[in-house]
Amino acid sequence: MSTLTHFDAQGQAHMVDVGAKTATHRIAVASGHIAMLPATLAMIESGNAKKGDVLGIARIAGIQGAKKTSDLIPLCHPIGLTRVAIDFEVIFATATAPAQVLCTATTETVGPTGVEMEALTAVQVALLTIYDMCKAVDRGMTIGNVKLLEKHGGKSGSFVAD
């Protein structure tokens, strides 16, 4: 197991020095979902939400969240993103699963540090935006299973979740 890099020899939090690292093409993919009442999902899909196009606005919010990650996560480096893509999948309720929207965020950069935090932040912000836009009709929505699916590039190489 590797050591935590955000602490110095005295145990103090610090921003990791990436100045000597090689700039490489880096990609990260994260996902998560928001579960809701079937009627809420139907409203989203029909485009009849009072606040407008829920998924369209959530997509823009997710992109903005990726761009603002270093403002939200204290030790995260500000990086130049070369791409942010937010995709949604509408999943209707079944006997064993609730109605939900699955969000997948893909982030890319060419630089000395990865884009995992940007992908994870994009997913969270997109899902929170869906909650915000639909809370008037469904306060019981739940956000969950936010996770890194894969990352590529950099010294540590690739990671693909099981």
Short mmCIF file of all heavy atoms in Angstrom, two decimals, residues 5 17 24 38 41 44 50 59 74 93 116 127-128 138:
data_model
loop_
_atom_site.label_atom_id
_atom_site.label_comp_id
_atom_site.label_asym_id
_atom_site.label_seq_id
_atom_site.Cartn_x
_atom_site.Cartn_y
_atom_site.Cartn_z
N THR A 5 -0.05 11.00 0.04
CA THR A 5 0.86 12.02 -0.50
C THR A 5 0.51 13.44 -0.06
O THR A 5 1.30 14.35 -0.30
CB THR A 5 0.85 11.97 -2.04
OG1 THR A 5 -0.48 12.16 -2.50
CG2 THR A 5 1.39 10.64 -2.54
N ASP A 17 3.75 18.45 -4.69
CA ASP A 17 4.54 19.10 -5.74
C ASP A 17 4.54 18.21 -6.97
O ASP A 17 5.10 17.11 -6.95
CB ASP A 17 5.97 19.33 -5.25
CG ASP A 17 6.84 20.04 -6.27
OD1 ASP A 17 6.36 20.37 -7.38
OD2 ASP A 17 8.03 20.26 -5.95
N THR A 24 1.39 14.10 -19.25
CA THR A 24 0.88 13.03 -20.09
C THR A 24 -0.62 13.22 -20.29
O THR A 24 -1.27 13.97 -19.55
CB THR A 24 1.12 11.63 -19.46
OG1 THR A 24 0.42 11.55 -18.22
CG2 THR A 24 2.59 11.36 -19.25
N PRO A 38 -41.00 7.04 -9.62
CA PRO A 38 -41.24 6.89 -11.06
C PRO A 38 -41.86 8.13 -11.70
O PRO A 38 -41.52 8.49 -12.83
CB PRO A 38 -42.18 5.69 -11.15
CG PRO A 38 -41.86 4.88 -9.93
CD PRO A 38 -41.54 5.90 -8.86
N LEU A 41 -39.14 10.67 -12.46
CA LEU A 41 -38.38 10.31 -13.65
C LEU A 41 -39.19 10.59 -14.92
O LEU A 41 -38.64 11.10 -15.90
CB LEU A 41 -37.97 8.83 -13.60
CG LEU A 41 -37.06 8.37 -14.72
CD1 LEU A 41 -35.74 9.13 -14.72
CD2 LEU A 41 -36.80 6.88 -14.61
N ILE A 44 -38.98 14.26 -15.65
CA ILE A 44 -37.67 14.61 -16.22
C ILE A 44 -37.62 14.22 -17.69
O ILE A 44 -37.21 15.03 -18.54
CB ILE A 44 -36.53 13.91 -15.43
CG1 ILE A 44 -36.38 14.51 -14.04
CG2 ILE A 44 -35.21 13.99 -16.20
CD1 ILE A 44 -35.45 13.75 -13.13
N LYS A 50 -40.87 22.24 -13.99
CA LYS A 50 -41.11 23.69 -13.95
C LYS A 50 -39.84 24.50 -14.15
O LYS A 50 -39.87 25.60 -14.69
CB LYS A 50 -41.77 24.09 -12.64
CG LYS A 50 -43.23 23.68 -12.58
CD LYS A 50 -43.90 24.25 -11.36
CE LYS A 50 -45.37 23.86 -11.37
NZ LYS A 50 -46.08 24.39 -10.23
N ARG A 59 -26.22 18.67 -17.04
CA ARG A 59 -25.00 18.45 -17.84
C ARG A 59 -24.09 19.67 -17.75
O ARG A 59 -22.88 19.55 -17.51
CB ARG A 59 -25.37 18.16 -19.29
CG ARG A 59 -24.16 17.94 -20.19
CD ARG A 59 -24.54 17.51 -21.60
NE ARG A 59 -25.05 16.14 -21.56
CZ ARG A 59 -26.34 15.80 -21.71
NH1 ARG A 59 -27.26 16.71 -21.94
NH2 ARG A 59 -26.70 14.53 -21.64
N PRO A 74 -9.64 21.37 -1.20
CA PRO A 74 -8.53 22.24 -0.83
C PRO A 74 -7.14 21.89 -1.40
O PRO A 74 -6.40 22.79 -1.75
CB PRO A 74 -8.51 22.16 0.70
CG PRO A 74 -9.89 21.78 1.07
CD PRO A 74 -10.39 20.90 -0.04
N ALA A 93 -38.08 2.19 -13.20
CA ALA A 93 -38.25 1.33 -12.03
C ALA A 93 -38.60 -0.09 -12.47
O ALA A 93 -39.30 -0.30 -13.46
CB ALA A 93 -39.34 1.88 -11.12
N GLU A 116 -9.07 12.53 -11.83
CA GLU A 116 -10.08 11.75 -11.12
C GLU A 116 -11.01 12.62 -10.29
O GLU A 116 -12.22 12.42 -10.28
CB GLU A 116 -9.42 10.72 -10.18
CG GLU A 116 -8.58 9.69 -10.85
CD GLU A 116 -7.10 10.07 -10.93
OE1 GLU A 116 -6.78 11.28 -10.97
OE2 GLU A 116 -6.26 9.15 -10.96
N LEU A 127 -25.61 15.40 -10.30
CA LEU A 127 -26.68 14.74 -9.55
C LEU A 127 -27.33 15.69 -8.55
O LEU A 127 -28.56 15.66 -8.36
CB LEU A 127 -26.14 13.49 -8.85
CG LEU A 127 -25.66 12.38 -9.79
CD1 LEU A 127 -25.02 11.26 -8.99
CD2 LEU A 127 -26.79 11.86 -10.66
N LEU A 128 -26.54 16.54 -7.91
CA LEU A 128 -27.12 17.53 -7.00
C LEU A 128 -28.01 18.51 -7.75
O LEU A 128 -29.04 18.96 -7.22
CB LEU A 128 -26.00 18.29 -6.28
CG LEU A 128 -25.30 17.52 -5.18
CD1 LEU A 128 -24.03 18.25 -4.75
CD2 LEU A 128 -26.22 17.28 -4.00
N ASP A 138 -40.21 15.78 -5.21
CA ASP A 138 -39.68 14.52 -4.67
C ASP A 138 -38.48 14.79 -3.77
O ASP A 138 -37.34 14.74 -4.20
CB ASP A 138 -39.29 13.60 -5.84
CG ASP A 138 -38.88 12.20 -5.41
OD1 ASP A 138 -38.85 11.92 -4.19
OD2 ASP A 138 -38.58 11.39 -6.30
#
